[in-house]
């Protein structure tokens, strides 16, 4: 691992369409500076270190040269306009992009010091530790109980212990009281918000280290969204959470760190995502360094 | 709840935990190869089928093919027999089938999509078409025998090419309707609205915009339906194709439509029923011919569809 | 060339807004022609039902009931043992399903879950092509290859015409149908479910078996039902490979020949000129047709209902 590489982001190579070309990209992950501003971060453990991540779909480069670190037991939010590659980037952390035909990830993501993109790493093992919650609730067409028990069963949890795992996961996802009397009923009978909490419970039932959330509230109404947000705040004491969101207020409410991504078009009209700024959430929303960030969060662009 | 107290603590020894373990996915590989085996079996038997038929029919295919293609049936010996009447009969039957099934099928599809979508009558017709599609072909033979051969024999003259063609037309009608419905549904409404917008009547919108746009897909479906008719023997047996190993004598082409007839698949059936290995050679050789014919027609249709597949 | 000019609307009357009579006539006429065609398709069904029902009724009202359960199917001797034909039909169709379901489902899972898009693009049309193989050819294949080259190695005293070979050949015939319906069912399972499973650390085989297959279960059931219905209705393979004669004695042995509902119909049809005099034998043709029609109709409607339910699920 190369600390300099991991901690600094180079300027984008090509001029950006949204900003004057002489303007550098402001990606501040200088740990001491961040710690000083945030007040409490100096001793935080790093879970992921990403160095120069590029993602391609076939010949098309979807994401360019992203370098950032993710700290343990924090909520890190990825924001940015559509097509900026934030979801693509999120799916790098548990190698979900492997499942997409033609997708290729260049660069290194170190997870507790282990590069996830080396040959010896089994993506299936990665996904057991780095769980994921998706944009639309996607419960299996099984009972509530079997939804939660699916992952633990794969991991070899004994039948006798399953009841406890199911209850514990549902409790932690703040769903137990609502469903404890109908565990054997289909998960499709739940409301959208309940289904998404079920999916969160399902994700944490395998005791992951990190939970990735891809716009988990975008399909939900404001009340259900509020409950999920509360849940995220509770969960971060135990899990490291990375969340992609379209909703800037949501990022501001729940996250500790925020990464702002933007899009850049090349001469051929292909739009590539890139990281513009990565800083503590309070700074991003009050005093962004990069004019592109400021333009986006104040609603002038995007 | 002790199982769930802490998230996986893997800060130490992470590299080991994430390592790909040899044999971890033996079941996965086995499953995949099982599936590949099934796929090879499911599609590969066509190659075996063709090979077996070519080998069995080699005697005729290699030395005698021209004679086989151009001569009619002979009671005397397998070596003298040919499939000419079968090929001609099949083409004639297919022609009649097309003449009856295509206009009726396409018109039904137009009615369902353009005029009556969602109406009670349309729902009945659709249900009816779906059920017709599943009726075994030999039952259509009964329809042909009772209605086309017997009831309206004034028109069909009994067990003739016309009766056979009408029988197969009834059989492939659902195929024509279903593919045409899909073709018409694929034409975007914006095209219809654009035509209405410049003052066209419904008939003008249909005949000048919608039908031309859907034509290639409808054509493909029609070809597929006729290929199906070309290979079908069971219903034709009931409407008389097998009974006569006739020679056409000096009947002119038009008269043959109202005379006795046979068809290639029925001829193969007759070859296969004769005792003796030499008839088996004929059956195999004729099988190769019908396979080539049907596969070529189908392949053409599938190729055309993929070629003209339009993204709206 | 004159540029387009706005119309003069100063003396517009309602008549100006009427389409010309001939254009209206064409439009109305076309509508009725199309409706008439749709009516023809209903007429076809009605005629089929009327044909088989009236013929079957003639048969039922004349046959001695005891002759429906005699030693076998000998229509010209007046013996119409239905169980002979039904048992043979079911035996052959079950063998066909034992061949077609594993390979058809296997191919469907492979194409839907594993195959590279390019492979899929080639294999799907190949399956369609296979579906067009004429059944007479498979009948010839059964007696010229399946029985002499394969089955004789396993069964010493196998009959040249036998139900086993017929069943295998019918199975080969319905593989494409089953594979195609099953593949549609599997592909209807949302990608999100596969992602959810992968995200929990499931391998592909686990996702396929524990998530995708159960989610597609109703469609897979429909594939089996529709495939079985097709197998029951298949005529030529069985007539050539198993039910050669127009008579058959009740037997359960798979290595013996035996007529089915369909092959008995074909045999009666081949001799329609001769049996026309023997009224009851001739009418039994329609009775069998009615039986076959009823069986396949029930099976197909069941399959249809299941497929429809599947379509509404996600």
């Amino acid at each position: 691992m190369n600390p300099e590489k991991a901690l600094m982001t180079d300027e984008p190579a090509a001029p950006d369409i949204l900003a004057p070309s002489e303007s550098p990209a402001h990606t501040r992950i200088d740990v001491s500076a961040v710690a000083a501003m945030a007040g409490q971060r100096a001793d935080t453990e790093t879970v992921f270190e990403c160095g120069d991540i590029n993602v391609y779909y076939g010949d098309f480069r979807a994401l360019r040269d992203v370098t950032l670190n993710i700290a343990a037991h924090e909520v890190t939010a990825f924001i940015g306009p559509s097509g900026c590659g934030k979801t693509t980037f999120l799916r790098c952390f548990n190698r979900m992009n492997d499942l997409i035909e033609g997708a290729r990830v260049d660069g290194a993501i170190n997870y507790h010091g282990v590069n996830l993109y080396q040959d010896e790493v089994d993506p299936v093992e990665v996904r057991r530790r780095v769980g994921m919650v998706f944009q639309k609730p996607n419960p299996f067409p099984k009972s509530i109980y079997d939804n939660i028990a699916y992952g633990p069963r794969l991991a070899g949890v004994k039948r006798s212990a399953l009841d406890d795992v199911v209850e514990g996961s549902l409790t932690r996802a703040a769903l137990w009281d609502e469903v404890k009397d109908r565990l054997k009923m289909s998960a499709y009978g739940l409301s959208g918000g309940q289904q998404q909490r079920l999916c969160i419970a399902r994700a944490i039932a395998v005791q992951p280290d990190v939970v990735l959330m891809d716009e988990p509230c975008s399909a939900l109404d404001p009340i259900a969204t509020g409950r999920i947000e509360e849940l995220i705040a509770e969960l971060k004491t135990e899990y490291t959470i990375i969340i992609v969101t379209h909703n800037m207020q949501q990022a501001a409410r729940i996250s500790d760190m925020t990464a702002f991504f933007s899009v850049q078009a090349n001469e051929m009209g292909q739009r590539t995502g890139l990281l513009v700024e990565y800083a503590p959430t309070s700074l991003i929303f009050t005093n962004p360094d990069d004019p592109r960030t400021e333009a986006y969060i104040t609603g002038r662009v995007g | 709840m002790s199982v769930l107290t802490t998230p996986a603590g893997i800060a130490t020894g992470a590299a080991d935990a994430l390592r790909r373990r040899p044999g971890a996915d033996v079941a996965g590989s086995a499953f995949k190869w099982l599936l590949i085996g099934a796929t090879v079996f499911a599609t590969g038997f066509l190659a075996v089928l063709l090979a077996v038929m070519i080998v069995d029919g080699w005697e005729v295919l290699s030395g005698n093919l021209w004679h086989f293609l151009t001569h009619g049936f002979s009671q005397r010996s397998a070596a003298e027999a040919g499939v000419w009447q079968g090929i001609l009969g099949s083409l004639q039957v297919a022609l009649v089938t097309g003449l009856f099934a295509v206009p009726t099928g396409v018109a039904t599809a137009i009615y369902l999509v353009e005029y009556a979508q969602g109406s009670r009558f349309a729902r009945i017709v659709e249900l009816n078409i779906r059920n017709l599609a599943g009726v075994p072909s030999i039952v259509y033979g009964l329809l042909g025998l009772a209605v086309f051969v017997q009831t309206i024999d004034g028109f069909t003259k009994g067990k003739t090419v016309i009766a056979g063609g009408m029988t197969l037309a009834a059989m492939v009608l659902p195929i024509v309707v279903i593919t045409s419905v899909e073709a018409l549904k694929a034409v975007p409404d914006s095209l219809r609205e654009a035509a209405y917008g410049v003052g066209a009547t419904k008939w003008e919108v249909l005949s000048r915009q919608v039908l031309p746009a859907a034509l290639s897909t409808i054509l493909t479906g029609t070809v597929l339906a006729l290929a199906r008719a070309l290979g079908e023997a069971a219903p034709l047996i009931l409407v008389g194709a097998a009974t006569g190993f006739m020679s056409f004598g000096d009947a002119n082409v038009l008269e043959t439509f109202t005379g006795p007839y046979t068809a290639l698949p029925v001829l193969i059936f007759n070859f296969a029923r004769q005792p003796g290995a030499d008839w088996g050679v004929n059956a195999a050789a004729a099988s190769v011919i019908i396979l080539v014919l049907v596969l070529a027609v189908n392949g053409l249709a599938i190729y055309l569809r993929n070629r003209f597949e339009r993204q709206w | 060339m004159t540029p387009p000019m706005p119309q003069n609307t100063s003396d517009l009357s309602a008549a100006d807004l009427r389409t010309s009579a001939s254009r209206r006539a064409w439009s109305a006429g076309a509508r009725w022609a199309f409706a008439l065609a749709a009516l023809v398709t209903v007429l076809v069904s009605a005629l089929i039902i009327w044909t088989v029902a009236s013929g079957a009724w003639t048969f039922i009202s004349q046959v001695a009931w005891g002759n429906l359960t005699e030693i076998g199917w000998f229509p010209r001797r007046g013996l119409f043992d239905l169980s002979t034909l039904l048992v043979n039909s079911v035996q052959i169709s079950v063998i066909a399903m034992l061949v077609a379901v594993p390979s058809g489902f296997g191919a469907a899972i492979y194409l839907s879950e594993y195959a590279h898009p390019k492979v899929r693009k080639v294999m799907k049309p190949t399956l369609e092509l296979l579906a067009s193989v004429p059944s007479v050819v498979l009948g010839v294949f059964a007696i010229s290859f399946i029985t002499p080259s394969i089955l004789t190695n396993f069964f010493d005293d196998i009959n040249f015409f036998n139900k086993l070979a017929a069943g295998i050949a019918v199975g080969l015939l319905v593989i494409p149908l089953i594979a195609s319906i099953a593949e549609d069912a599997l592909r209807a399972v949302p990608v999100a479910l596969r992602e959810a499973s992968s995200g929990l650390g499931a391998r592909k085989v686990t996702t396929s078996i524990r998530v995708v297959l159960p989610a597609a279960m109703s469609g897979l059931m429909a594939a089996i039902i529709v495939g079985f219905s097709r197998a029951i209705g298949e005529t030529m393979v069985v007539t050539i490979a198993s039910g050669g004669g127009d008579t058959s004695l009740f037997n359960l042995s798979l290595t013996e020949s035996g007529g089915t509902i369909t092959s008995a119909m074909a045999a009666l049809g081949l001799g329609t000129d001769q049996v026309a005099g023997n009224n009851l034998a001739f009418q039994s043709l329609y009775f069998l047709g009615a039986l076959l029609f009823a069986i396949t109709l029930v099976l197909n409607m069941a399959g249809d209902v299941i497929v429809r339910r599947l379509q509404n699920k996600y």
Side-chain angles (χ1 to χ4, degrees):
Chain A
M1 138 177 65
N2 176 348
E4 247 183 27
K5 189 93 179 177
L7 295 177
M8 304 286 288
T9 297
D10 298 332
E11 293 181 24
D16 190 272
I17 50 161
L18 295 175
S21 57
E22 67 270 18
S23 159
H26 301 274
T27 307
R28 295 166 298 165
I29 2 179
D30 179 341
V31 170
S32 57
V34 169
M37 283 179 275
Q40 82 236 23
R41 296 190 32 131
D43 54 340
T44 315
E45 186 195 351
T46 301
V47 178
F48 289 107
E49 295 159 306
C50 309
D52 281 332
I53 297 295
N54 287 275
V55 184
Y56 300 84
Y57 295 122
D59 293 333
F60 163 64
R61 173 145 79 167
L63 195 63
R64 194 181 67 206
D65 297 332
V66 178
T67 297
L68 54 69
N69 288 359
I70 305 285
H73 299 294
E74 287 194 340
V75 176
T76 304
F78 296 166
I79 62 170
S82 299
C84 69
K86 52 196 191 299
T87 293
T88 295
F89 186 48
L90 185 77
R91 293 167 65 104
C92 291
F93 290 97
N94 64 347
R95 295 192 52 173
M96 282 301 270
N97 286 326
D98 290 21
L99 302 176
I100 297 172
E101 202 71 50
R104 185 164 57 84
V105 177
D106 264 9
I109 295 185
N110 285 340
Y111 170 62
H112 295 290
V114 180
N115 182 4
L116 294 181
Y117 283 87
Q118 57 188 332
D119 284 346
E120 301 92 86
V121 166
D122 188 343
V124 169
E125 293 296 335
V126 175
R127 293 182 202 130
R128 289 195 178 162
R129 289 166 176 80
V130 183
M132 188 154 190
V133 175
F134 297 83
Q135 193 167 354
K136 271 168 70 182
N138 55 356
F140 299 126
K142 300 171 185 282
S143 71
I144 293 168
Y145 185 97
D146 286 340
N147 261 279
I148 308 295
Y150 181 83
R153 278 180 182 140
L154 293 183
V157 171
K158 287 200 187 62
R159 185 183 288 265
S160 55
L162 273 181
D163 285 355
D164 282 347
V165 174
V166 170
E167 181 176 348
S169 307
L170 285 171
T171 306
R172 217 162 285 199
L175 193 59
W176 175 250
D177 290 335
E178 292 161 58
V179 301
K180 63 183 176 203
D181 299 324
R182 45 171 172 158
L183 292 175
K184 296 293 172 197
M185 283 158 74
S186 167
Y188 282 23
L190 299 175
S191 71
Q194 288 174 322
Q195 286 189 7
Q196 194 61 301
R197 276 180 283 146
L198 179 77
C199 291
I200 292 173
R202 185 177 64 184
I204 61 178
V206 291
Q207 300 172 274
D209 178 31
V210 181
V211 179
L212 309 177
M213 297 187 174
D214 182 8
E215 299 189 40
C217 304
S218 64
L220 305 180
D221 64 44
I223 294 170
T225 299
R227 303 202 59 166
I228 303 267
E229 287 181 7
E230 284 168 28
L231 183 55
I232 290 171
E234 288 165 25
L235 290 176
K236 80 169 190 177
T237 57
E238 286 164 76
Y239 307 96
T240 303
I241 292 173
I242 310 177
I243 180 169
V244 165
T245 176
H246 256 307
N247 180 332
M248 281 180 291
Q249 284 76 23
Q250 184 172 66
R253 281 192 298 266
I254 62 177
S255 72
D256 302 295
M257 293 290 287
T258 297
F260 171 65
F261 291 78
S262 186
V263 223
Q264 199 177 47
N266 69 5
E267 319 79 52
M268 325 241 306
Q270 290 182 331
R271 293 157 63 84
T272 297
L274 74 167
L275 176 64
V276 173
E277 186 167 359
Y278 181 42
T281 303
S282 51
L283 277 182
I284 286 262
F285 284 96
T286 53
N287 187 17
D289 254 12
D290 194 293
R292 291 169 290 181
T293 317
E294 189 176 4
Y296 184 74
I297 61 170
T298 55
R300 277 185 283 127
V301 185
Chain B
M1 294 212 325
S2 59
V3 224
L4 199 79
T5 41
T6 47
I10 55 148
T12 52
D16 254 6
L18 295 179
R19 184 159 294 146
R20 204 185 285 276
R21 282 186 296 278
D25 197 24
V26 174
S29 316
F31 185 62
K32 183 176 174 183
W33 282 105
L34 207 67
L35 297 180
I36 291 177
T39 310
V40 169
F41 181 79
T43 51
F45 85 84
L46 180 63
V48 177
L49 186 70
L50 256 176
V52 166
M53 293 302 156
I54 289 175
V55 169
D56 285 357
W58 188 245
E59 213 176 296
V60 165
L61 293 172
S62 62
N64 233 350
L65 186 60
W66 185 246
H67 177 273
F68 193 62
L69 286 174
T70 53
H71 284 71
F73 195 84
S74 159
Q75 293 280 27
R76 268 170 292 162
S77 79
E80 278 181 38
V83 292
W84 165 243
Q85 294 157 338
I87 292 176
L88 185 68
S90 279
L91 294 179
Q92 287 180 308
V93 169
L95 183 69
V96 175
T97 301
L99 283 178
F100 280 96
V102 174
T104 315
V106 175
T108 301
I110 293 174
Y111 186 75
L112 290 179
V113 176
E114 305 291 334
Y115 288 91
Q117 206 158 35
S119 78
R120 199 184 159 83
F121 179 57
R123 281 208 307 276
I124 292 171
V125 173
E126 276 167 15
L127 179 72
N128 172 52
I129 294 284
R130 281 204 306 277
N131 287 330
L132 276 181
V135 172
S137 60
I138 193 153
V139 174
Y140 284 99
L142 287 182
L143 169 77
L145 179 60
V147 177
F148 301 147
V149 171
Q150 291 170 353
T151 307
I152 58 166
D153 65 338
F155 173 66
T156 60
K157 308 282 185 257
K159 297 185 169 181
T160 61
V161 169
I162 296 187
M166 288 178 76
T167 303
L168 294 190
M171 187 189 81
V172 300
L173 190 59
I175 306 178
V176 178
V177 174
I178 289 168
T179 50
S180 302
V181 162
E182 276 165 19
L184 292 170
K185 279 186 177 165
V187 177
D189 276 339
S190 57
L191 193 69
R192 296 183 180 86
E193 281 159 10
Y196 282 126
V198 295
T201 64
K202 182 141 197 165
W203 166 244
E204 287 158 354
V205 172
L206 275 176
S207 60
R208 306 215 185 133
Q209 304 300 329
V210 178
L211 282 179
L215 195 63
S216 67
T217 318
I218 291 177
L219 213 63
T220 311
T222 304
V223 175
L224 285 174
L226 291 183
R228 166 95 195 276
L230 222 51
E232 197 60 60
L236 291 182
I237 285 176
L238 291 192
V239 290
T243 50
F245 304 133
M246 66 290 149
S247 73
F248 290 114
D250 20 311
N252 70 35
V253 176
L254 270 180
E255 282 164 0
T256 62
F257 279 89
T258 52
Y261 71 106
T262 190
L264 192 52
V266 179
L267 215 49
I268 294 172
F269 172 58
N270 278 321
F271 288 147
R273 288 202 307 158
Q274 309 284 332
D278 46 351
W279 291 105
V281 176
N282 282 2
S287 293
V288 173
I289 292 169
I290 202 172
L291 272 176
V292 169
L293 204 67
V294 168
L295 293 183
V297 173
N298 266 286
L300 180 76
I302 293 169
Y303 170 77
L304 286 178
R305 185 189 55 202
N306 291 349
R307 177 82 196 277
F308 292 114
E309 205 158 58
R310 205 182 307 218
Q311 300 295 324
W312 293 100
Chain C
M1 201 168 138
T2 43
M5 294 284 285
Q7 290 169 6
N8 181 3
T9 53
S10 56
D11 51 356
L12 185 73
S13 72
D16 292 329
L17 291 179
R18 279 178 75 92
T19 314
S20 78
S22 74
R23 286 175 78 201
R24 272 184 290 132
W26 264 107
S27 225
R31 185 199 170 93
W32 285 108
F34 296 141
L36 198 65
L39 208 58
V40 167
T41 66
V42 180
L43 185 69
V44 169
S45 289
L47 285 175
I48 288 177
I49 293 170
W50 173 76
T51 299
V52 296
S54 63
W57 176 248
T58 314
F59 175 77
I60 291 171
S61 56
Q62 291 178 13
V63 74
W65 288 86
N67 290 347
L68 293 177
T69 53
E70 280 295 336
I71 51 167
W73 182 261
F74 299 93
R76 280 171 219 199
R77 284 163 53 191
L79 302 179
F80 305 97
D81 180 41
L82 289 179
S83 62
T84 302
L85 302 182
L86 272 173
V87 164
N88 290 341
S89 279
V90 170
Q91 278 181 324
I92 286 174
S93 300
V94 168
I95 296 167
M97 299 316 279
L98 291 178
V99 172
V101 169
S103 64
F105 279 11
I109 299 169
Y110 181 71
L111 291 181
S112 132
E113 306 299 311
Y114 283 83
H116 190 275
K118 280 180 191 158
V119 176
R120 217 186 144 263
K121 225 179 153 184
V122 175
M123 295 301 270
K124 276 290 268 185
T126 307
L127 277 179
E128 277 182 77
L129 214 55
L130 283 168
S132 69
V133 170
S135 57
V136 273
V137 176
L138 274 157
V140 174
F141 186 64
I143 56 171
S144 68
F145 184 75
I146 297 179
T147 298
S149 302
I150 297 179
L151 296 182
T152 46
N153 299 327
F154 301 97
F155 306 96
D156 293 331
D157 54 348
I158 192 164
N159 195 324
F160 181 73
F161 300 107
N162 62 82
K163 299 179 213 166
L164 191 54
I168 293 170
V170 173
L172 294 176
L173 199 70
V174 296
I175 285 175
L177 178 74
I178 289 189
S180 169
I181 301 177
E183 212 251 358
D184 287 347
L186 293 172
R187 286 179 71 81
V189 175
V191 177
L193 293 187
R194 295 180 181 87
E195 289 196 326
S197 177
S198 301
L200 290 166
R203 291 183 195 282
K204 195 148 196 167
V205 52
T206 317
T207 302
S208 299
I209 293 176
R210 301 254 281 253
V211 174
V212 181
L213 284 182
M217 191 51 79
S218 56
L220 299 178
M221 290 304 297
I224 293 176
I225 293 172
V226 173
F228 192 84
S229 162
R230 171 70 71 83
I232 286 267
E234 171 47 41
T235 306
M236 297 317 295
V237 172
V238 182
T239 307
I240 293 174
S242 170
D246 48 3
T247 62
S248 54
L249 197 60
F250 183 87
N251 75 80
L252 289 171
S253 168
L254 296 177
T255 55
E256 288 299 321
S257 72
T260 62
I261 300 173
T262 54
S263 79
M265 289 176 70
L268 285 164
L270 280 171
T272 40
D273 297 328
Q274 293 97 305
V275 293
N278 181 347
N279 196 34
L280 208 51
F282 183 63
Q283 296 302 339
S284 73
L285 174 59
Y286 289 98
F287 176 72
L288 292 180
L291 190 65
L292 184 63
F293 180 77
I295 292 172
T296 53
L297 185 69
V298 168
L299 287 173
N300 287 327
M301 284 178 106
D304 203 54
V305 166
I306 293 173
V307 166
R308 256 144 220 285
R309 203 182 323 146
L310 179 82
Q311 282 168 347
N312 299 333
K313 196 159 130 190
Y314 301 109

